[in-house]
Amino acid sequence: MAQPGGRVTFIGLGVMGAGMATNLVRKGFDTTVYNRTAAKAAPVVAAGARLASSPRDAVEDASVVFLCLPETGDVEAALFGPTGMASGLAAGTVVVDTSTIDPVASRGFA
């Protein structure tokens, strides 16, 4: 069952991110996930999420994107790297960065 408001994307499926993404799936949100190590995505995919091949592919048609990454450089790469999501985001997509990163860098990314 998809929730109103479109698809949700979750990038970064470590200890915190996997649990957060799994909760979105369990609540019925149409969820796509991406993680650099695809094996870490397996439990979330088993719960019902779709696995994307890159951050850019993950955000296609997303209404909301969550990032939960360990370092500032990881967030920058997910946003602006060669397969980064910035080139695939539609106008009006909400990006929520739950990563604990440098606040100056975070403002710059915005």
Side-chain angles (χ1 to χ4, degrees):
M1 147 180 79
Q3 294 286 329
R7 198 163 55 74
V8 175
T9 292
F10 209 101
I11 297 175
L13 301 171
V15 173
M16 290 179 53
M20 294 163 70
T22 300
N23 282 334
L24 290 169
V25 172
R26 287 182 181 153
K27 291 297 181 181
F29 287 91
D30 183 9
T31 306
T32 297
V33 296
Y34 172 78
N35 197 76
R36 288 178 298 191
T37 306
K40 288 187 176 182
V44 186
V45 171
R50 282 186 304 279
L51 180 62
S53 61
S54 71
R56 180 176 33 226
D57 292 340
V59 301
E60 186 176 314
D61 298 325
S63 298
V64 179
V65 176
F66 291 93
L67 300 171
C68 191
L69 300 164
E71 298 181 11
T72 301
D74 298 326
V75 173
E76 184 173 24
L79 288 167
F80 306 113
T83 61
M85 58 187 246
S87 63
L89 286 172
T93 303
V94 175
V95 178
V96 180
D97 186 8
T98 66
S99 309
T100 304
I101 64 168
D102 176 53
V104 174
S106 188
R107 283 186 209 100
F109 298 156

